[in-house]
Amino acid sequence: MSSYFAEIPPVRFEGPESKNPLAFRWYDKDRVVLGRRMEDHLRFAVCYWHNFVWPGNDPFGGATFERPWFQGGDPLAMAKHKAREAFDFFSRLGVPYYCFHDRDVAPEGATPRESLALFQAMTDELAAQQARTGVKLLWGTANLFSHRRFMSGAASNPDPEIFAMAATQVKAAMDATLALGGENYVLWGGREGYETLLNTDVGREMDQLGRFLNMVVDYKHRIGFKGTILIEPKPREPSRHQYDFDVATVYGFLMRYGLESEVKVNIEANHATLSGHSFEHEIAMAQALGIFGSIDMNRGDPLLGWDTDQFPNNIADTAIAMYHILQGGGFTTGGLNFDAKVRRQSIDAADLFHAHIGGMDVSARALLIAERMIQDGAMKAELDTRYAGWGSELGMGILGGTLKLEDLSARVLTQNRDVAPVSGRQEFLENLANRYC
Amino acid sequence: MSSYFAEIPPVRFEGPESKNPLAFRWYDKDRVVLGRRMEDHLRFAVCYWHNFVWPGNDPFGGATFERPWFQGGDPLAMAKHKAREAFDFFSRLGVPYYCFHDRDVAPEGATPRESLALFQAMTDELAAQQARTGVKLLWGTANLFSHRRFMSGAASNPDPEIFAMAATQVKAAMDATLALGGENYVLWGGREGYETLLNTDVGREMDQLGRFLNMVVDYKHRIGFKGTILIEPKPREPSRHQYDFDVATVYGFLMRYGLESEVKVNIEANHATLSGHSFEHEIAMAQALGIFGSIDMNRGDPLLGWDTDQFPNNIADTAIAMYHILQGGGFTTGGLNFDAKVRRQSIDAADLFHAHIGGMDVSARALLIAERMIQDGAMKAELDTRYAGWGSELGMGILGGTLKLEDLSARVLTQNRDVAPVSGRQEFLENLANRYC
Amino acid sequence: MSSYFAEIPPVRFEGPESKNPLAFRWYDKDRVVLGRRMEDHLRFAVCYWHNFVWPGNDPFGGATFERPWFQGGDPLAMAKHKAREAFDFFSRLGVPYYCFHDRDVAPEGATPRESLALFQAMTDELAAQQARTGVKLLWGTANLFSHRRFMSGAASNPDPEIFAMAATQVKAAMDATLALGGENYVLWGGREGYETLLNTDVGREMDQLGRFLNMVVDYKHRIGFKGTILIEPKPREPSRHQYDFDVATVYGFLMRYGLESEVKVNIEANHATLSGHSFEHEIAMAQALGIFGSIDMNRGDPLLGWDTDQFPNNIADTAIAMYHILQGGGFTTGGLNFDAKVRRQSIDAADLFHAHIGGMDVSARALLIAERMIQDGAMKAELDTRYAGWGSELGMGILGGTLKLEDLSARVLTQNRDVAPVSGRQEFLENLANRYC
Amino acid sequence: MSSYFAEIPPVRFEGPESKNPLAFRWYDKDRVVLGRRMEDHLRFAVCYWHNFVWPGNDPFGGATFERPWFQGGDPLAMAKHKAREAFDFFSRLGVPYYCFHDRDVAPEGATPRESLALFQAMTDELAAQQARTGVKLLWGTANLFSHRRFMSGAASNPDPEIFAMAATQVKAAMDATLALGGENYVLWGGREGYETLLNTDVGREMDQLGRFLNMVVDYKHRIGFKGTILIEPKPREPSRHQYDFDVATVYGFLMRYGLESEVKVNIEANHATLSGHSFEHEIAMAQALGIFGSIDMNRGDPLLGWDTDQFPNNIADTAIAMYHILQGGGFTTGGLNFDAKVRRQSIDAADLFHAHIGGMDVSARALLIAERMIQDGAMKAELDTRYAGWGSELGMGILGGTLKLEDLSARVLTQNRDVAPVSGRQEFLENLANRYC
């Protein structure tokens, strides 16, 4: 079988001194880090859409990529061609997982039944490819944002018939995810938001969304899907406002609709920065709120106001994110997906490899730095010292609820002296963190 | 008694044709709008801090305002001088309400007891001024962000002794608010956040904040304060991250700590834009979530990344905000505070009047536009039409919970046809909204 | 001839009280404003691309508009169909001008010669449509950003063969603009910038751009084109950085390559805000630097980080921009183009009318407000007073160059007293500006 | 002589393995890098203002630092105390340079003459401290933004008397810089901009600024100052708009007023990001335009919209900046100033050391990475390959001016074939850059 990637040999670990741009310098999948193989820690996934579906267009320009599977012809045959090439890529790269939307892998048909049949045919093809290569499914999802019927939302659409269309796709995508052994199911609501409040009733639309998510969770249990349901927050784009703005907003939404123990979040670095947060903030917040699930490890450009979906390349930034993930116990069903795309000028087959190798190496290097941070323990010790006062009688009395506002006031007025602040030592800590790089 | 404002006559309504810059052109307090006097709709408040405490400094420059009460001398005497001038200003302007922080009105003493005594003395002075002028207290609050002891947070501080200091101030401020007949009590957590995650445990700090707020609510009930407790969201500044990021975040926080029926939000226009939201978004979101309380009607500059706290001057923007407020039923205990400051180049006494007159006139004009929008009904009718499908059997079956995911899928596959989207008509609606201006 | 817009009657002025959404309420083309007909002041143009070429896609979704001329078939026949509909739209709307890119009006052929032939055929068709309808060409331009050959720039491309391809298109587009009586020729360099400095030599690329622009100016003179050459600044998008960042940057560029008296700017409101400037700032700056040419009157959304290209709808903001345009003498060859698009949810033919009617009415209303500002004179009088000191002997000595640094120092040390600042009166001026609304 | 820093021993290089937080791990001043000592490459300077003048206040809070020289008492005595401590800090840290504003080192007097006398007294004191310690002056500057008289600008003020006050300060600061052997003189126009166009004539104000800068250059030559005059660009803050927006804007300004061969730029990393540019962009642009002078190596926080002035801590980002500086030939009279401040929570004397040690180590490490990039040559080779076509006959014909627009068109139509684009290889290059880290 000829392959688009035939000239790229399987990517191997060659160590930091290698000058081979098509080798890993840091990602050594069997190396044990804090008691776990690197591969099992990082749980890398490659996404189908950016690599095999996106033609390189942007709002001001057309396709730049000339992949053989874009050439036209019978849509199902092209979809199968694409699937073979995709799994060939996953295999040569050596990642354990991939992710997909229903419409990435199968064309849309002329009617709902045709669309379903095409998707089911491709589900069988994916199963065969998984079996052939050993690559597994990290998560499946449904594309409820590209077709014009969803232009005003899917579950939050003003028309319940479109809600039903969305439900149909999600049911099928969940069925496929279950059939393919997927470990999670993701919902990203790119059109679940609004363009203008002039035509929008936000309370009503959030109720629709809450109902939809309850249906999904209910169905999951009914079919025996053991994976995790994940919401992927994003503040905007394509919508002007998206209801799943950030981790804290999703948490409030889950509480409102009684789903906080059923659903977790898939946090994307680029979405974090678009919402005004650092990636590590969103990770730490999700862990604090008990809803950390999985990550999309793709950076934005802080000087650009849209989703650039670039591969991570900053070692220090990635290390801090990895440190927070490890501090929270690492991944369970989740993993590290690259929801990232090569620049539209990176038109060669090799560019797809450079991008993923770079992203995997940066992540692996970040893991090793985080390992040193944890083994050394100095960063955690600083934090423990800083909050030590909360283990005192006063601290426990406050948090335990035995002390009232007026008790504290009485105490202060009795002591009748000020309390001296202590240094936050931020620069010391920044230097300390750099020491592990 | 000589006054800093002696040369400014009381501000009167003179109608749209007036060219007197010290008259109202639109704010006619007794005019009835939708069955309520303008004054009762708008419930204007002037803030103490920007007008009477801030000396005109900014991060790159010192004081520019040369108010008589900044001249130095005995702090309590100066505080009384300032209070007289402030109430003189409120009276000449003709606003029904004012707002203050504890440290705005009284100097900090050398010890907690001295601080409390000074504050209590000034509470008496404020009571006397209220009685003299008829101006009422919209809300009181405690300044837990300016003193260096709060540099690392108040309730979220790593040191419980500082939590206790904060509790002492809040208790006293709540007592004063009760004594002065205040209609709300506000908490803005300017330092309840972090500068770097390297020295911060966000889960622990949110628990501290949750405990603090529960103490406040508990105390409110114990002392019989009937006003509303309000949290004022802001995403950042001075903190890099503030826990009360926006309305949706505060909602999740209240749910987490069991306070969603006890606490509402005070929404500031400038804070909304800093968090990436429009002002009307935050209002609509709070109404949808049942936590709308009060507003700070001061705009930011969308091209600047910090709190500029400018007076509203855009009629169309203000009208949309007012429309949402009225659609949600208007204010109950809340009101419309100007948490706004004149530019530091606006150094004359008259500038304080120009600023407030402009803000009040814009708000009044916005109220009249919103009245027309409501009386005409076309905007609401468009919205009703857009969501009409949700009143169908299908819509009610979805929201009522009788239909499952697979029921909807079965329905779609049976019908086996696509659903056509309908125009969102945004430009039509924008033109319609402009018609009322 | 059947028309897509057949059901929309020609748009007429009906006055502010009209409730007809397909009539002008403010744009009364023959009304005389400051001695000039409204139509001659505003010089409205409709753009070809957003209205007749863009299918409603965005980065996350496909086409939403189902225009008859998108149906496929012979490209040239479709282009002619599109042209007929476009001119039908211009006529029904009643605008005097339109604008186009070469690739908007004609399909690209298989070879450069075919492309040229197709474009020339369509130039003839446009000429016929202009003659039929009386609609004129405000400006022409070449699309040097959509085709994949320009993915790394046109004139700034690392490959001079692509520079030559760009030159070929620009020559043809200038020839067509001349033939069609176009009043300006525009260059927008959407790909004249970079994605990463790692593969870019900015000095070299700016020299290429400078050379290209000199070629264009030289050619203009050689063919006797009397219109104005305009550069349209934009800071980024699609490029991460675009060399024509803003008006001040373009000015420096023109100075560097000796073109400051040959080339002016076409300022777009949305591009201004993306670069961190207000629209009126860019207008005022261009006027101060002597390079003001024309405008694209389409707003962005200050909370979004990309080009939303929305129709203007804020009366006060538009009025200030119009005031600055009039203060600078108004348009000469330039005009007011709507480089604006309906939202992708606005899928009906009527939505194109609502959008333009709204934009034209807001602009007309802004013109009337600006007229009042100028006739009243109070705003200008305030400015004259503020700078009056520069008419003094000291002021003239400084600006005239007779006084040196040490002369001023000697003067200050001799006088030996401080200088008191005076109020900037910003709030007074904001209220004053609102008085004209 | 007792010192605030007495407990901190002089900072020494101990190598990467050192765990001593008060030692350098990378900055080894005598190590030779590309033929030059590290100290001579980096030319580190410490700024006076953030470290010795700023009390830790921010817009929402007061002083947090309790330095002995803030205690009050005779202002000149306090200024001398501060100077001794400052030079003690510079010495213990081991930097070769410092920088100051006139008002940092000397208090303002009651009259211009008193202010001058105080400043001259402190100039003598600084000379003595320089002689005592061997620390040199990288640049001097005048503070024309903090005093209320400059609230509406210094050289761009509406009042020429304030222009004269500014001239007086600048003359004295230039005299002092000359006397102290300063190697550059800097102008940062924090108030040379506007708050609102309603009270501003930008053309007039730019002419005032151009005249001022010509006076400064003229005076420089007259007194025989051999250093470089530097403008420091910043887009805004404290002003809403600052005329020296970014490097490209300053270039246009210098061209307009005939100063492009007399004045260079001092580029600050934080100011770059506030203007929407990366630090390396501003460096590369200044080098391309021939106006690169010096740098302020202090980062902002890309998620915050104001100047945070933090010490650099990201190794990869700093390395790229350093690579561009070295590619352009490195510093001549310029240097690397830390216009950076410790966080206001970092209240200990040691925090000032941690901050500078971290910043110096990151910069030194960046220098070593940049050295490897240059010695390896692969990055430059990629660039050379990419632009190789411009060395062809076609490329030289275009840039040399022998080919006209129509020549290029004729060539393309004759060849009559498309040109294939080549990959931009961004991800490959990002991986390559990371290889040197």
Side-chain angles (χ1 to χ4, degrees), chain C residues 271-285:
Chain C
H271 296 177
T273 48
L274 286 172
S275 67
H277 304 302
S278 67
F279 188 26
E280 59 268 27
H281 168 89
E282 287 290 82
I283 294 168
M285 190 57 67

Side-chain angles (χ1 to χ4, degrees), chain A residues 174-218:
Chain A
M174 290 177 75
D175 291 343
T177 300
L178 177 66
L180 293 169
E183 304 188 18
N184 307 270
Y185 184 82
V186 167
L187 296 112
W188 173 64
R191 304 278 177 203
E192 311 294 20
Y194 64 79
E195 294 306 306
T196 175
L197 282 177
L198 291 174
N199 69 14
T200 305
D201 179 336
V202 296
R204 177 192 288 275
E205 294 199 356
M206 288 192 295
D207 284 350
Q208 293 173 208
L209 265 181
R211 179 67 194 118
F212 193 85
L213 192 55
N214 266 295
M215 281 183 175
V216 166
V217 167
D218 176 60

Side-chain angles (χ1 to χ4, degrees), chain A residues 72-221:
Chain A
D74 174 63
L76 186 59
M78 279 294 113
K80 288 185 177 174
H81 182 171
K82 181 167 61 174
R84 283 194 304 273
E85 296 286 6
F87 277 81
D88 189 46
F89 177 79
F90 306 151
S91 296
R92 287 176 196 268
L93 185 61
V95 284
Y97 291 103
Y98 77 111
C99 305
F100 71 87
H101 297 89
D102 53 353
R103 293 299 183 254
D104 298 338
V105 297
E108 177 132 358
T111 64
R113 280 188 225 152
E114 265 187 48
S115 293
L116 181 60
L118 287 163
F119 181 53
Q120 287 170 338
M122 283 307 302
T123 303
D124 294 344
E125 176 68 25
L126 295 177
Q129 293 293 338
Q130 291 186 194
R132 177 175 72 84
T133 60
V135 176
K136 294 169 288 181
L137 179 61
L138 185 64
W139 44 265
T141 187
N143 179 331
L144 305 178
F145 48 89
S146 293
H147 195 280
R148 72 192 286 271
R149 82 175 67 88
F150 298 124
M151 70 182 195
S152 304
S156 64
N157 201 286
D159 183 351
E161 297 285 359
I162 288 174
F163 184 106
M165 294 292 282
T168 305
Q169 266 187 250
V170 169
K171 177 188 175 297
M174 290 177 75
D175 291 343
T177 300
L178 177 66
L180 293 169
E183 304 188 18
N184 307 270
Y185 184 82
V186 167
L187 296 112
W188 173 64
R191 304 278 177 203
E192 311 294 20
Y194 64 79
E195 294 306 306
T196 175
L197 282 177
L198 291 174
N199 69 14
T200 305
D201 179 336
V202 296
R204 177 192 288 275
E205 294 199 356
M206 288 192 295
D207 284 350
Q208 293 173 208
L209 265 181
R211 179 67 194 118
F212 193 85
L213 192 55
N214 266 295
M215 281 183 175
V216 166
V217 167
D218 176 60
Y219 186 67
K220 163 194 157 160
H221 290 302

Side-chain angles (χ1 to χ4, degrees), chain B residues 26-274:
Chain B
W26 298 93
Y27 179 57
D28 180 9
K29 68 179 180 182
D30 294 318
R31 177 169 174 176
V32 175
V33 175
L34 299 171
R36 206 170 168 187
R37 290 169 61 250
M38 250 196 189
E39 184 178 77
D40 299 332
H41 260 298
L42 292 167
R43 296 171 60 83
F44 284 129
V46 169
C47 76
Y48 215 97
W49 52 98
H50 284 317
N51 297 294
F52 299 97
V53 182
W54 177 54
N57 64 316
D58 72 11
F60 295 83
T64 57
F65 303 144
E66 298 184 327
R67 315 296 189 202
W69 56 91
F70 289 161
Q71 281 169 353
D74 174 63
L76 186 58
M78 279 294 114
K80 289 184 177 175
H81 183 173
K82 180 167 61 173
R84 283 193 305 273
E85 296 285 6
F87 278 80
D88 189 45
F89 178 79
F90 307 151
S91 296
R92 287 175 195 267
L93 185 61
V95 285
Y97 291 103
Y98 77 110
C99 304
F100 71 86
H101 298 89
D102 53 353
R103 294 298 183 254
D104 299 338
V105 298
E108 178 132 357
T111 64
R113 280 187 225 153
E114 264 186 49
S115 293
L116 181 60
L118 287 163
F119 181 53
Q120 288 171 336
M122 283 307 302
T123 303
D124 294 343
E125 176 68 25
L126 295 177
Q129 294 293 338
Q130 290 186 196
R132 177 176 71 85
T133 60
V135 176
K136 295 168 288 182
L137 179 62
L138 185 63
W139 44 265
T141 188
N143 178 332
L144 306 177
F145 47 89
S146 294
H147 195 280
R148 72 191 289 271
R149 80 174 68 88
F150 297 124
M151 70 182 194
S152 304
S156 64
N157 200 286
D159 183 352
E161 297 285 359
I162 288 174
F163 183 107
M165 294 291 282
T168 304
Q169 267 187 250
V170 169
K171 177 188 176 296
M174 291 177 75
D175 291 344
T177 300
L178 177 66
L180 294 168
E183 304 188 18
N184 306 269
Y185 184 82
V186 167
L187 295 112
W188 173 64
R191 305 278 176 201
E192 311 294 19
Y194 64 78
E195 293 308 304
T196 176
L197 282 176
L198 292 175
N199 69 14
T200 305
D201 179 336
V202 296
R204 177 192 289 275
E205 293 198 357
M206 288 192 294
D207 284 349
Q208 292 172 209
L209 265 180
R211 178 68 194 117
F212 193 86
L213 191 55
N214 265 295
M215 281 183 176
V216 165
V217 167
D218 175 62
Y219 186 68
K220 163 195 157 159
H221 290 302
R222 214 118 31 66
I223 63 175
F225 177 61
K226 301 298 178 200
T228 308
I229 304 290
L230 298 168
I231 285 187
E232 181 169 326
K234 190 179 181 186
R236 65 186 72 86
E237 197 208 23
S239 303
R240 183 197 197 278
H241 176 80
Q242 191 171 320
Y243 295 119
D244 301 328
F245 192 85
D246 60 6
V247 166
T249 301
V250 169
Y251 175 78
F253 177 82
L254 295 177
M255 289 289 284
R256 184 168 181 84
Y257 298 102
L259 294 165
E260 70 277 12
S261 63
E262 292 282 0
V263 178
K264 298 192 186 308
V265 284
N266 182 42
I267 300 171
E268 179 177 312
N270 200 152
H271 296 177
T273 49
L274 285 173

Side-chain angles (χ1 to χ4, degrees), chain C residues 392-428:
Chain C
S392 70
E393 191 180 353
L394 171 64
M396 292 189 294
I398 290 170
L399 290 178
T402 56
L403 293 171
K404 297 191 173 63
L405 202 68
E406 55 268 49
D407 298 332
L408 296 175
S409 178
R411 175 191 168 98
V412 164
L413 294 173
T414 302
Q415 290 184 347
N416 202 32
R417 55 174 172 70
D418 205 351
V419 182
V422 296
S423 172
R425 288 166 68 78
Q426 181 167 337
E427 294 80 10
F428 170 85

